[in-house]
Amino acid sequence: MPIVLNCENEPCPNPVLRCKRLLDEQTPQKLEVIVDNEAAMDNVSRYLASKGMRVDETNKVGKLWTIKASQAGSTDASPAVQTSPAHAEPKQVGTPKILVFLTSDTMGQGDDTLGSRLMGNFLNTLPELGEALWRIIMVNGAVKLATATNPAIEALKKLEAAGVSILVCGTCLEFFKLMDQKEVGQVTNMLDVVTSQQVADKVITV
């Protein structure tokens, strides 16, 4: 029988933290995690995959998502859902890690039109950091940059194609009702935000 974690009505990052505590204490052959939003489903699925578990199935009934996972060596597991761990290392071992932490879709204060243009210029200039540019994290209003209609989307897609890890706050996407409009990056949670800032060699906050 699988171990079941019911994380309904639990805010970010509680579902991921509960999974972490469970995996720190036990090695369940099968695990089912119940959450009540798509951001939590993405975050839990990715976290379990990063810990070596197979995410065999995710399904939604009503407002609840169920993530079914098993140990990678289980013989009765179906083909795993492909996920990528948020903690992936940069392309070259030993390269300094620069994290860019974005909190708004505009840069500076005074005029939002100008601020939007400045943010676009900033993102287009980030490749000048070279291999040191490791990760971009977007929280609060910055998640709007990752949507299809935002002028910054092409710059972000180019950065991601070049190997830069892009993480987009799931709670923020849910708050702004933009989950279906995300075009770039992985949905993330506060655990990823904190650990990314911990391991980065330098954090640039905008």
Side-chain angles (χ1 to χ4, degrees):
M1 292 292 291
I3 294 177
V4 178
L5 286 181
N6 189 337
C7 301
E8 182 180 0
N9 297 324
E10 295 197 22
C12 170
N14 283 8
V16 172
L17 290 176
R18 287 189 62 187
C19 290
K20 180 180 185 300
R21 284 193 291 268
L22 176 66
L23 296 182
D24 285 345
E25 297 170 358
Q26 303 180 46
T27 307
Q29 291 303 304
K30 292 187 176 184
L31 176 63
E32 293 185 9
V33 185
I34 300 169
V35 296
D36 60 9
N37 63 83
E38 187 175 356
M41 182 274 293
D42 283 345
N43 283 320
V44 168
S45 297
R46 186 161 43 78
Y47 179 77
L48 294 176
S50 77
K51 293 302 179 181
M53 295 198 74
R54 295 172 56 93
V55 180
D56 301 311
E57 180 184 351
T58 60
N59 59 68
K60 184 181 182 183
V61 178
K63 68 172 187 175
L64 298 180
W65 291 87
T66 299
I67 303 107
K68 297 182 179 181
S70 59
Q71 287 297 325
S74 298
T75 57
D76 58 346
S78 57
V81 176
Q82 295 298 313
T83 58
S84 300
H87 303 288
E89 289 300 309
K91 291 177 289 186
Q92 294 184 4
V93 176
T95 302
K97 304 183 187 75
I98 295 179
L99 167 65
V100 177
F101 187 61
L102 302 178
T103 62
S104 173
D105 58 335
T106 62
M107 176 178 279
Q109 299 178 357
D111 183 88
D112 285 346
T113 300
L114 174 60
S116 178
R117 186 182 308 168
L118 291 174
M119 178 60 76
N121 292 343
F122 175 77
L123 294 175
N124 281 314
T125 308
L126 282 179
E128 296 300 317
L129 295 175
E131 293 291 331
L133 180 58
W134 168 52
R135 175 165 292 167
I136 298 171
I137 295 180
M138 289 173 269
V139 301
N140 210 323
V143 301
K144 298 173 185 177
L145 297 168
T147 60
T149 58
N150 194 284
I153 191 65
E154 292 305 319
L156 289 170
K157 285 182 176 180
K158 288 178 181 178
L159 288 165
E160 187 173 51
V164 178
S165 168
I166 298 178
L167 303 183
V168 189
C169 169
T171 299
C172 307
L173 287 169
E174 292 278 0
F175 179 84
F176 290 113
K177 295 180 172 54
L178 294 174
M179 184 65 73
D180 294 338
Q181 298 180 45
K182 182 182 74 67
E183 285 282 314
V184 69
Q186 295 181 343
V187 176
T188 195
N189 59 80
M190 199 54 65
L191 179 61
D192 284 342
V193 172
V194 171
T195 54
S196 294
Q197 292 186 339
Q198 180 185 29
V199 302
D201 295 303
K202 183 176 182 179
V203 179
I204 300 173
T205 302
V206 179

